[in-house]
Amino acid sequence: MAKSRLFRSTMTVSSMTMLSRILGLVRDMVQMSVFGAGTLMDAFVVAFKIPNFLRRLFAEGAFSQAFVPILTEYKEKKTFNEVQLLISQVSGVLSLVLLALTVVVIAIAPWVMRLFSPGFMNDPAQFAAATDLLRITFPYLFFISMTAFFGSILQSYGRFAAPAFAPVLLNVCMIVASLVIAPLLDKPIMALGYAVAVAGLLQLLIQLPQLWQQKLLVAPKFDFHHEGVRRILAMMLPAIFGVSVTQLNLLLSTIFASFMVKGSMSWMYSAERLSELPLGLIGVAIGTVILPSLSSSRAKSDDETFKKTMDWAARLIILVGLPASLAMFALSDVLMDALFVRGKFSHQDALMSGLALKSLSGGILGFMLIKIFAPAFFANQDTKTPVKVGIISVVCNMIFSVVFVGIFYLAKLPLHGGLALATTMASFVNAGLLYYILQKRAIFSFGSHWKKMFAQFIIASTAMMIALYIAIPYYPLDGSLWLKIAILLGICILGASIYGLVLLATGFRPRQLRH
């Protein structure tokens, strides 16, 4: 992919993601106002988390990362008919597995809910609601996984707009469901479940016109013996094992949270959503764009372009990720107050969510680095190494969870903060180990030119933090909604401006961001 086109593609994905994230904030504000941070919202959070997590295996994780390098290789070295056949065979195999999994989980939904949230069994109404919501939302796994599959194809052909726009539909559907559908139902929370399922279907359908235009919308076939399918499955197997371990980590976290104070899952959910804002805007965007480019460089044995692409991605990630992590920590309480305190979401809920966001904020940079380090392995058709590293970080997360929850308990602090802090620590274990291996294998390392850049980023971030802490006391806790948002935006603009000006004063120039 040409240099200018790579940057343009990143901006396309980032701008679409920004639209999605803005609507996502509106969606979360509406949900918390309508449903509050209580037992029913906790039930939805768990029910939605299960298919949303499993999509990482079939969509964003093992499958996608194994499929894109193989598809890129077919594009570079084989005929268009062979590319179409690969897509057809993979589509058939993936859809068959997803349909079978969907049917099974819907059939045994109560047992799945007992596994993931045993604490809910102490409240029969909450358990029943969570089980019903799981049955309604789980088909989302099929739709969103096939959406990601089609999106990977389009991205490999330089078509990033439709896949990046698709998540907007989920936010729109959930906003409409909360405001319009929920009041019409006997059980209003069920509206969110229906919204998830409908949004999954719409996200799938929006991909089809461009696939048709590219002559890549082909009928699925079922052949596990096709050469490309076998290679993808072989690359996926270690990742599937890794996800089974990751599932134990998710299980541990949800088990802990299900026994905690009512609202803990909702507090964690709102904090996670805010922490994902910079991750989605830059981390996911760059990770999405560079994988096809890295795969193409590897297929051509162009090591120089490969390393330059990695270096460029790291510059953008740290430029945004470091100040974003620090700003989220500083602004956590006022962010929660301004965005969520209304309706059934109280000031106490905002403080609890703010604690979770403080604990998660450091992990923003860690997760963003993972988004660029992992594709370097996937582009080399190496899924085993990131999975091994992932297993280590998951085990660390389990240990951290027990340790930090214990510490928070002894310190008489809200326990969900300990779970969030464990996630942050594990993200740095993951990112650190990936970088160590990349450096050891001479795939990528921070060269000597990074010493000056690291110093520039740290000086600018320190100046930004000083400005934020000076400005935060001017935030009006008892002001109107619009006054609060206006002051919050002013504080954010001040912090960003100070960061940019100090960065320029230290000698950093925008041309350093060119690929």
Side-chain angles (χ1 to χ4, degrees), residues 346-375:
S346 67
H347 285 283
Q348 178 64 17
D349 291 327
L351 289 174
M352 293 297 98
S353 298
L355 173 64
L357 185 56
K358 278 187 175 71
S359 299
L360 286 172
S361 60
I364 293 171
L365 178 59
F367 281 117
M368 290 175 79
L369 289 171
I370 292 168
K371 290 295 182 182
I372 61 167
F373 290 159

Side-chain angles (χ1 to χ4, degrees), residues 10 13-15 17-18 20-21 55-56 60 271-289 316-318 320-325 328 357 360-373 375 423 427 431:
T10 301
V13 175
S14 187
S15 60
T17 305
M18 178 177 288
S20 175
R21 297 296 177 176
R55 75 173 182 171
R56 296 173 191 171
E60 297 167 353
E272 287 168 2
R273 293 284 299 162
L274 270 184
S275 70
E276 288 171 357
L277 182 60
L279 176 63
L281 289 178
I282 298 297
V284 174
I286 293 178
T288 298
V289 168
L316 277 179
I317 286 293
I318 297 176
V320 176
L322 179 60
S325 291
M328 281 287 183
L357 185 56
L360 286 172
S361 60
I364 293 171
L365 178 59
F367 281 117
M368 290 175 79
L369 289 171
I370 292 168
K371 290 295 182 182
I372 61 167
F373 290 159
T423 301
S427 75

Side-chain angles (χ1 to χ4, degrees), residues 101-114 131 134-135:
L101 180 62
T102 300
V103 170
V104 169
V105 170
I106 289 175
I108 63 169
W111 295 100
V112 175
M113 194 52 64
R114 284 188 180 95
T131 302
L134 177 61
R135 287 195 170 107

Side-chain angles (χ1 to χ4, degrees), residues 78-90:
K78 297 182 182 289
T79 66
F80 186 70
N81 286 339
E82 288 176 303
V83 172
Q84 287 180 314
L85 181 60
L86 173 69
I87 292 171
S88 175
Q89 301 287 9
V90 174

